[in-house]
Coordinates of all heavy atoms in Angstrom, one line a residue:
V1 N 0.8 -1.2 0.0 CA 0.0 0.0 0.0 C 0.9 1.3 0.0 O 0.6 2.2 -0.7 CB -0.9 0.0 1.2 CG1 -1.7 1.3 1.3 CG2 -1.9 -1.1 1.2
K2 N 2.0 1.2 0.8 CA 2.9 2.4 0.8 C 3.4 2.7 -0.5 O 3.5 3.8 -1.0 CB 4.0 2.1 1.8 CG 4.8 3.2 2.2 CD 5.9 2.8 3.2 CE 6.4 3.9 4.0 NZ 7.4 3.5 5.0
Q3 N 3.9 1.6 -1.3 CA 4.4 1.8 -2.6 C 3.4 2.3 -3.6 O 3.6 3.2 -4.4 CB 5.1 0.5 -3.1 CG 5.8 0.7 -4.5 CD 6.4 -0.6 -4.9 OE1 6.2 -1.6 -4.3 NE2 7.2 -0.5 -6.0
W4 N 2.2 1.8 -3.5 CA 1.1 2.2 -4.4 C 0.8 3.7 -4.2 O 0.6 4.4 -5.1 CB -0.2 1.3 -4.2 CG -1.3 1.7 -5.1 CD1 -1.5 1.3 -6.3 CD2 -2.3 2.7 -4.8 NE1 -2.6 1.9 -6.9 CE2 -3.1 2.8 -6.0 CE3 -2.6 3.6 -3.8 CZ2 -4.2 3.7 -6.1 CZ3 -3.6 4.4 -3.9 CH2 -4.4 4.5 -5.0
R5 N 0.7 4.1 -2.9 CA 0.4 5.5 -2.6 C 1.5 6.4 -3.1 O 1.2 7.5 -3.6 CB 0.3 5.7 -1.1 CG -1.0 5.3 -0.5 CD -1.1 5.7 0.9 NE -2.4 5.2 1.5 CZ -2.6 4.9 2.8 NH1 -1.6 5.2 3.6 NH2 -3.7 4.5 3.2
A6 N 2.7 6.0 -3.0 CA 3.8 6.8 -3.5 C 3.8 7.0 -5.0 O 4.1 8.0 -5.6 CB 5.2 6.2 -3.2
L7 N 3.3 5.9 -5.7 CA 3.2 6.0 -7.2 C 1.9 6.5 -7.7 O 1.9 7.2 -8.7 CB 3.5 4.6 -7.8 CG 4.8 4.0 -7.6 CD1 4.9 2.5 -8.0 CD2 5.9 4.8 -8.3
H8 N 0.8 6.2 -7.1 CA -0.5 6.6 -7.6 C -1.4 7.4 -6.7 O -2.5 7.8 -7.1 CB -1.3 5.3 -8.0 CG -0.5 4.4 -8.8 ND1 -0.3 4.6 -10.2 CD2 0.1 3.2 -8.6 CE1 0.4 3.6 -10.7 NE2 0.7 2.7 -9.7
G9 N -0.9 7.7 -5.6 CA -1.7 8.5 -4.6 C -1.7 10.0 -5.0 O -1.2 10.4 -6.0
P10 N -2.3 10.8 -4.1 CA -2.4 12.3 -4.4 C -1.0 12.9 -4.4 O -0.1 12.4 -3.7 CB -3.2 12.8 -3.3 CG -3.1 11.8 -2.2 CD -2.9 10.5 -2.8
E11 N -0.8 14.0 -5.2 CA 0.5 14.7 -5.2 C 0.7 15.3 -3.9 O -0.2 15.8 -3.2 CB 0.4 15.8 -6.3 CG 0.5 15.2 -7.7 CD 0.6 16.3 -8.8 OE1 1.2 17.4 -8.4 OE2 0.3 16.0 -9.9
R12 N 2.0 15.3 -3.5 CA 2.4 15.9 -2.3 C 3.2 17.1 -2.5 O 3.9 17.2 -3.5 CB 3.2 14.9 -1.4 CG 2.4 13.7 -1.1 CD 3.2 12.6 -0.3 NE 3.6 13.2 1.0 CZ 4.3 12.5 1.8 NH1 4.8 11.3 1.5 NH2 4.6 13.0 3.0
E13 N 3.1 18.1 -1.7 CA 3.9 19.3 -1.8 C 5.4 19.0 -1.5 O 5.7 18.3 -0.6 CB 3.4 20.4 -0.8 CG 4.0 21.7 -1.0 CD 3.4 22.7 0.0 OE1 2.3 22.5 0.5 OE2 4.1 23.8 0.2
V14 N 6.2 19.5 -2.4 CA 7.7 19.3 -2.2 C 8.3 20.5 -1.4 O 8.1 21.7 -1.8 CB 8.4 19.2 -3.6 CG1 9.9 19.1 -3.4 CG2 7.8 18.1 -4.4
I15 N 9.0 20.2 -0.4 CA 9.6 21.2 0.5 C 11.1 20.9 0.6 O 11.5 19.8 0.9 CB 9.0 21.2 1.9 CG1 7.5 21.5 1.8 CG2 9.7 22.1 2.8 CD1 6.7 21.3 3.1
F16 N 11.9 21.9 0.3 CA 13.3 21.8 0.5 C 13.7 22.6 1.8 O 13.7 23.9 1.7 CB 14.1 22.4 -0.7 CG 13.9 21.5 -1.9 CD1 12.9 21.9 -2.9 CD2 14.6 20.4 -2.1 CE1 12.7 21.2 -4.0 CE2 14.3 19.6 -3.3 CZ 13.4 20.0 -4.2
R17 N 13.9 22.0 2.9 CA 14.2 22.7 4.1 C 15.6 23.3 4.0 O 16.5 22.7 3.5 CB 14.2 21.7 5.3 CG 12.8 21.0 5.4 CD 12.2 21.2 6.8 NE 11.0 20.5 6.8 CZ 9.8 21.1 6.9 NH1 9.7 22.4 6.8 NH2 8.7 20.4 7.0
Q18 N 15.7 24.5 4.5 CA 17.0 25.2 4.6 C 17.4 25.3 6.0 O 16.6 25.6 6.9 CB 16.9 26.6 3.9 CG 16.6 26.5 2.4 CD 16.5 27.8 1.8 OE1 16.7 28.8 2.4 NE2 16.2 27.9 0.5
Q19 N 18.7 25.1 6.2 CA 19.2 25.2 7.6 C 20.3 26.3 7.6 O 21.3 26.2 6.9 CB 19.8 23.9 8.0 CG 19.9 23.7 9.4 CD 20.2 22.2 9.8 OE1 20.7 21.5 8.9 NE2 20.0 21.8 11.0
A20 N 20.0 27.3 8.4 CA 21.0 28.4 8.6 C 22.1 28.0 9.6 O 21.8 27.4 10.6 CB 20.3 29.7 9.1
V21 N 23.3 28.3 9.2 CA 24.5 28.0 10.0 C 25.0 29.3 10.7 O 25.0 30.3 10.1 CB 25.6 27.4 9.2 CG1 26.8 27.1 10.0 CG2 25.1 26.1 8.5
V22 N 25.4 29.2 12.0 CA 25.8 30.3 12.8 C 26.9 31.1 12.0 O 27.9 30.4 11.6 CB 26.3 29.9 14.2 CG1 26.8 31.1 14.9 CG2 25.1 29.3 14.9
A23 N 26.8 32.4 12.0 CA 27.9 33.3 11.4 C 28.3 33.0 10.0 O 29.4 33.2 9.6 CB 29.1 33.2 12.3
Q24 N 27.4 32.5 9.2 CA 27.7 32.1 7.8 C 27.0 32.9 6.7 O 27.5 33.1 5.6 CB 27.6 30.6 7.6 CG 28.2 30.1 6.3 CD 28.2 28.6 6.2 OE1 27.5 27.9 6.9 NE2 29.1 28.1 5.4
Q25 N 25.7 33.4 7.0 CA 24.9 34.0 6.0 C 24.2 35.2 6.5 O 23.6 35.2 7.6 CB 23.9 32.9 5.4 CG 23.2 33.4 4.2 CD 22.3 32.3 3.7 OE1 21.8 31.4 4.4 NE2 22.0 32.3 2.4
G26 N 24.2 36.2 5.6 CA 23.5 37.4 5.9 C 22.8 37.9 4.7 O 23.1 37.5 3.5
F27 N 21.7 38.7 4.8 CA 20.9 39.2 3.7 C 21.0 40.7 3.7 O 20.9 41.3 4.7 CB 19.5 38.7 3.8 CG 19.3 37.2 3.9 CD1 19.1 36.6 5.1 CD2 19.4 36.5 2.7 CE1 19.0 35.2 5.1 CE2 19.3 35.1 2.8 CZ 19.0 34.5 4.0
S28 N 21.1 41.3 2.5 CA 21.3 42.7 2.4 C 20.2 43.2 1.3 O 20.1 42.6 0.3 CB 22.7 43.0 1.9 OG 22.9 44.4 1.7
D29 N 19.5 44.2 1.7 CA 18.4 44.7 0.8 C 18.1 46.1 0.9 O 18.1 46.7 2.0 CB 17.2 43.8 1.1 CG 16.0 44.1 0.1 OD1 16.3 44.4 -1.1 OD2 14.9 44.0 0.5
F30 N 17.8 46.8 -0.2 CA 17.3 48.2 -0.2 C 15.8 48.1 -0.4 O 15.3 47.3 -1.2 CB 17.9 49.0 -1.3 CG 19.3 49.4 -1.0 CD1 20.4 48.7 -1.5 CD2 19.6 50.6 -0.3 CE1 21.7 49.0 -1.3 CE2 20.9 51.0 -0.1 CZ 22.0 50.2 -0.6
T31 N 15.0 48.9 0.4 CA 13.6 48.9 0.3 C 13.1 50.3 0.1 O 13.5 51.3 0.7 CB 13.0 48.3 1.5 OG1 13.5 47.0 1.7 CG2 11.5 48.2 1.4
H32 N 12.1 50.5 -0.8 CA 11.4 51.7 -0.9 C 10.2 51.7 0.1 O 9.4 50.8 0.1 CB 10.8 51.9 -2.3 CG 11.8 52.0 -3.4 ND1 12.4 53.2 -3.7 CD2 12.5 51.0 -4.1 CE1 13.3 53.0 -4.7 NE2 13.4 51.7 -4.9
P33 N 10.2 52.7 1.0 CA 9.1 52.8 2.0 C 7.7 52.8 1.3 O 7.5 53.4 0.3 CB 9.4 54.1 2.8 CG 10.8 54.4 2.5 CD 11.1 53.9 1.1
D34 N 6.7 52.2 2.0 CA 5.4 52.2 1.5 C 4.7 53.6 1.6 O 3.9 53.9 0.8 CB 4.5 51.1 2.2 CG 5.0 49.7 1.9 OD1 5.6 49.5 0.8 OD2 4.8 48.9 2.7
N35 N 4.9 54.2 2.7 CA 4.3 55.5 3.0 C 5.3 56.7 2.8 O 6.4 56.6 3.3 CB 3.7 55.6 4.4 CG 2.7 54.5 4.6 OD1 1.9 54.2 3.7 ND2 2.8 53.9 5.8
P36 N 4.9 57.7 2.0 CA 5.8 58.8 1.9 C 6.0 59.6 3.2 O 5.1 59.7 4.0 CB 5.1 59.7 0.8 CG 3.7 59.3 0.9 CD 3.6 57.9 1.4
I37 N 7.2 60.1 3.3 CA 7.6 60.9 4.5 C 7.8 62.3 4.1 O 8.4 62.6 3.1 CB 8.9 60.4 5.1 CG1 8.8 58.9 5.5 CG2 9.4 61.2 6.3 CD1 7.9 58.6 6.6
T38 N 7.2 63.2 4.9 CA 7.4 64.6 4.6 C 8.0 65.3 5.8 O 7.7 65.0 6.9 CB 6.1 65.3 4.2 OG1 5.2 65.2 5.3 CG2 5.5 64.8 3.0
I39 N 8.8 66.3 5.5 CA 9.4 67.2 6.6 C 9.1 68.6 6.2 O 9.5 69.1 5.1 CB 10.9 67.0 6.7 CG1 11.2 65.5 7.0 CG2 11.5 67.9 7.7 CD1 12.7 65.1 7.0
Q40 N 8.3 69.3 7.1 CA 7.8 70.6 6.8 C 7.1 70.7 5.4 O 7.4 71.6 4.6 CB 9.0 71.6 6.9 CG 9.6 71.8 8.3 CD 10.7 72.8 8.4 OE1 11.2 73.3 7.4 NE2 11.0 73.2 9.6
S41 N 6.3 69.7 5.2 CA 5.4 69.6 4.0 C 6.2 69.4 2.7 O 5.7 69.5 1.6 CB 4.6 70.8 3.8 OG 3.7 71.0 5.0
K42 N 7.5 69.0 2.8 CA 8.3 68.7 1.6 C 8.6 67.2 1.7 O 9.0 66.7 2.7 CB 9.6 69.5 1.6 CG 9.4 71.0 1.4 CD 10.7 71.7 1.4 CE 10.4 73.2 1.3 NZ 11.7 74.0 1.3
A43 N 8.6 66.6 0.5 CA 8.8 65.1 0.4 C 10.3 64.9 0.8 O 11.2 65.6 0.5 CB 8.6 64.7 -1.0
F44 N 10.5 63.8 1.5 CA 11.8 63.3 1.9 C 12.1 62.0 1.2 O 11.8 61.0 1.6 CB 11.9 63.1 3.5 CG 13.2 62.6 4.0 CD1 14.3 63.3 3.9 CD2 13.2 61.3 4.5 CE1 15.5 62.9 4.3 CE2 14.4 60.8 5.0 CZ 15.6 61.6 4.9
P45 N 12.8 62.2 0.0 CA 13.1 61.0 -0.8 C 14.2 60.1 -0.1 O 15.3 60.7 0.2 CB 13.6 61.5 -2.1 CG 14.1 62.9 -1.8 CD 13.3 63.4 -0.6
H46 N 13.9 58.9 0.2 CA 14.9 58.0 0.9 C 14.6 56.6 0.6 O 13.5 56.2 0.1 CB 14.9 58.3 2.4 CG 13.6 57.9 3.0 ND1 12.4 58.6 2.8 CD2 13.3 56.9 3.9 CE1 11.4 58.0 3.5 NE2 12.0 56.9 4.2
L47 N 15.5 55.7 1.0 CA 15.4 54.3 0.9 C 15.7 53.8 2.3 O 16.3 54.5 3.2 CB 16.4 53.7 0.0 CG 16.3 54.0 -1.5 CD1 17.4 53.4 -2.3 CD2 15.0 53.6 -2.1
L48 N 15.3 52.5 2.6 CA 15.7 51.9 3.8 C 16.7 50.7 3.4 O 16.4 49.9 2.5 CB 14.5 51.3 4.5 CG 13.5 52.3 5.0 CD1 12.3 51.6 5.6 CD2 14.1 53.3 6.0
Y49 N 17.8 50.7 4.1 CA 18.8 49.6 3.8 C 18.7 48.6 5.0 O 18.7 49.1 6.2 CB 20.2 50.1 3.7 CG 21.2 49.0 3.7 CD1 21.3 48.1 2.7 CD2 22.0 48.8 4.9 CE1 22.2 47.1 2.7 CE2 22.9 47.8 4.9 CZ 23.0 46.9 3.8 OH 23.9 45.8 3.9
Q50 N 18.5 47.4 4.7 CA 18.3 46.4 5.8 C 19.4 45.3 5.6 O 19.6 44.8 4.5 CB 16.9 45.7 5.7 CG 16.8 44.6 6.7 CD 15.4 43.9 6.7 OE1 14.9 43.7 7.7 NE2 14.9 43.7 5.5
F51 N 20.0 45.0 6.7 CA 20.9 43.8 6.8 C 20.4 42.9 7.9 O 20.1 43.3 9.0 CB 22.4 44.3 7.1 CG 23.3 43.1 7.2 CD1 23.8 42.6 6.0 CD2 23.7 42.5 8.4 CE1 24.6 41.5 6.0 CE2 24.5 41.5 8.4 CZ 25.0 40.9 7.2
R52 N 20.3 41.6 7.5 CA 19.8 40.6 8.5 C 20.6 39.4 8.5 O 21.1 38.9 7.5 CB 18.3 40.2 8.0 CG 17.6 39.3 9.0 CD 16.2 39.1 8.7 NE 16.0 38.2 7.5 CZ 16.0 36.9 7.6 NH1 16.1 36.2 8.7 NH2 15.8 36.2 6.5
L53 N 20.9 38.9 9.7 CA 21.6 37.6 9.9 C 20.6 36.4 9.8 O 19.6 36.4 10.4 CB 22.3 37.6 11.2 CG 23.4 38.6 11.4 CD1 24.0 38.6 12.8 CD2 24.5 38.4 10.3
A54 N 21.0 35.4 9.0 CA 20.0 34.3 8.7 C 19.8 33.5 10.0 O 18.6 33.1 10.2 CB 20.6 33.4 7.6
Y55 N 20.8 33.2 10.7 CA 20.6 32.3 11.9 C 19.8 32.9 13.0 O 18.9 32.3 13.5 CB 22.0 31.8 12.4 CG 21.9 30.8 13.5 CD1 21.6 29.4 13.2 CD2 22.0 31.2 14.8 CE1 21.5 28.5 14.2 CE2 21.9 30.2 15.8 CZ 21.7 28.9 15.6 OH 21.5 28.0 16.6
S56 N 20.3 34.1 13.4 CA 19.6 34.7 14.6 C 18.4 35.5 14.3 O 17.6 35.8 15.2 CB 20.6 35.5 15.4 OG 21.0 36.6 14.6
G57 N 18.3 36.0 13.0 CA 17.3 36.9 12.7 C 17.5 38.4 13.1 O 16.7 39.2 12.8
W58 N 18.7 38.6 13.7 CA 19.1 40.0 14.0 C 19.1 40.9 12.8 O 19.5 40.4 11.7 CB 20.5 40.0 14.7 CG 21.0 41.4 15.0 CD1 20.7 42.1 16.1 CD2 21.7 42.2 14.2 NE1 21.4 43.3 16.1 CE2 22.0 43.4 14.8 CE3 22.3 42.1 12.9 CZ2 22.7 44.5 14.3 CZ3 23.0 43.1 12.3 CH2 23.2 44.3 13.1
R59 N 18.6 42.1 12.9 CA 18.6 43.0 11.7 C 18.9 44.4 12.1 O 18.7 44.8 13.3 CB 17.3 42.9 11.0 CG 16.1 43.4 11.7 CD 14.8 43.2 11.0 NE 14.5 41.8 10.8 CZ 13.7 41.3 9.9 NH1 12.9 42.1 9.2 NH2 13.5 40.0 9.8
S60 N 19.4 45.1 11.1 CA 19.7 46.5 11.3 C 19.1 47.2 10.1 O 19.2 46.8 9.0 CB 21.2 46.7 11.3 OG 21.5 48.1 11.2
V61 N 18.4 48.4 10.4 CA 17.8 49.2 9.3 C 18.4 50.6 9.4 O 18.4 51.2 10.4 CB 16.3 49.2 9.4 CG1 15.7 50.0 8.3 CG2 15.7 47.8 9.4
T62 N 18.8 51.1 8.2 CA 19.4 52.4 8.1 C 18.7 53.2 7.0 O 18.4 52.7 6.0 CB 20.9 52.3 7.7 OG1 21.5 51.5 8.7 CG2 21.5 53.7 7.7
V63 N 18.4 54.5 7.3 CA 17.8 55.4 6.3 C 18.9 55.8 5.4 O 20.0 56.3 5.8 CB 17.1 56.6 7.0 CG1 16.6 57.6 5.9 CG2 16.0 56.1 7.9
V64 N 18.7 55.7 4.1 CA 19.7 56.1 3.0 C 19.1 57.2 2.1 O 18.0 57.0 1.6 CB 20.1 54.9 2.2 CG1 21.0 55.3 1.1 CG2 20.7 53.8 3.1
Q65 N 19.8 58.3 2.0 CA 19.4 59.3 1.0 C 20.2 59.1 -0.2 O 21.4 58.8 -0.2 CB 19.6 60.7 1.6 CG 18.7 61.1 2.7 CD 18.9 62.5 3.2 OE1 19.8 62.6 4.0 NE2 18.2 63.4 2.6
G66 N 19.5 59.1 -1.4 CA 20.2 58.9 -2.6 C 19.7 57.5 -3.1 O 18.6 57.1 -2.8
G67 N 20.5 56.9 -3.9 CA 20.1 55.6 -4.5 C 20.8 54.4 -3.9 O 21.6 54.5 -3.0
E68 N 20.6 53.2 -4.5 CA 21.2 52.0 -4.1 C 22.6 52.0 -4.6 O 22.9 52.0 -5.8 CB 20.5 50.8 -4.7 CG 19.0 50.7 -4.2 CD 18.3 49.5 -4.8 OE1 19.0 48.5 -5.2 OE2 17.1 49.5 -4.8
S69 N 23.6 52.0 -3.7 CA 25.0 51.9 -4.1 C 25.8 51.3 -3.0 O 25.4 51.3 -1.9 CB 25.5 53.3 -4.5 OG 25.6 54.1 -3.3
Y70 N 27.0 50.9 -3.4 CA 28.0 50.4 -2.4 C 28.3 51.5 -1.4 O 28.5 51.2 -0.2 CB 29.2 49.9 -3.1 CG 30.2 49.1 -2.2 CD1 29.9 47.9 -1.8 CD2 31.4 49.7 -1.8 CE1 30.7 47.2 -0.9 CE2 32.2 49.0 -1.0 CZ 31.9 47.8 -0.5 OH 32.7 47.1 0.3
A71 N 28.5 52.7 -1.9 CA 28.8 53.8 -1.0 C 27.7 54.1 0.1 O 27.9 54.5 1.2 CB 29.0 55.1 -1.8
A72 N 26.4 53.8 -0.3 CA 25.3 54.0 0.6 C 25.4 53.1 1.8 O 24.8 53.3 2.9 CB 24.0 53.8 -0.1
L73 N 26.1 52.0 1.7 CA 26.2 51.0 2.8 C 27.1 51.5 3.9 O 27.1 51.0 5.0 CB 26.8 49.7 2.2 CG 26.0 49.0 1.1 CD1 26.6 47.7 0.7 CD2 24.6 48.8 1.6
G74 N 27.9 52.6 3.6 CA 28.8 53.1 4.6 C 30.0 52.3 4.9 O 30.5 52.3 6.0
V75 N 30.4 51.5 3.9 CA 31.5 50.6 4.1 C 32.8 51.3 3.9 O 33.0 52.1 3.1 CB 31.4 49.4 3.2 CG1 32.6 48.5 3.3 CG2 30.2 48.6 3.4

């Protein structure tokens, strides 16, 4: 029955589990804010830069004026 179900039974969802390793992976992303920000009724054009560690979920968000660039990372 087990073999028949594997061959002819309903389709099963395929899942590839990912395992984060300590101090090995981080994610870096620029985001356009959903809501516009104004200062003294003038638009404040900016992006949000986010860096997140995969294992712990720790994250840092920085306001960036200008565009997406290596210089914007402050490295």
Side-chain angles (χ1 to χ4, degrees):
V1 173
K2 191 178 203 180
Q3 184 179 9
W4 181 89
R5 281 187 185 156
L7 295 173
H8 306 288
E11 288 189 23
R12 297 176 70 182
E13 187 175 341
V14 178
I15 299 173
F16 295 98
R17 303 237 182 251
Q18 296 182 0
Q19 200 168 19
V21 180
V22 176
Q24 193 169 22
Q25 189 176 26
F27 302 101
S28 178
D29 185 34
F30 286 94
T31 304
H32 295 271
D34 293 334
N35 300 321
I37 301 295
T38 58
I39 298 174
Q40 294 182 347
S41 301
K42 293 182 183 177
F44 177 65
H46 67 289
L47 298 173
L48 297 176
Y49 169 70
Q50 175 180 223
F51 180 78
R52 186 173 71 88
L53 295 175
Y55 183 80
S56 66
W58 176 88
R59 67 183 62 196
S60 171
V61 178
T62 305
V63 176
V64 176
Q65 289 180 275
E68 296 180 22
S69 68
Y70 188 74
L73 302 179
V75 178

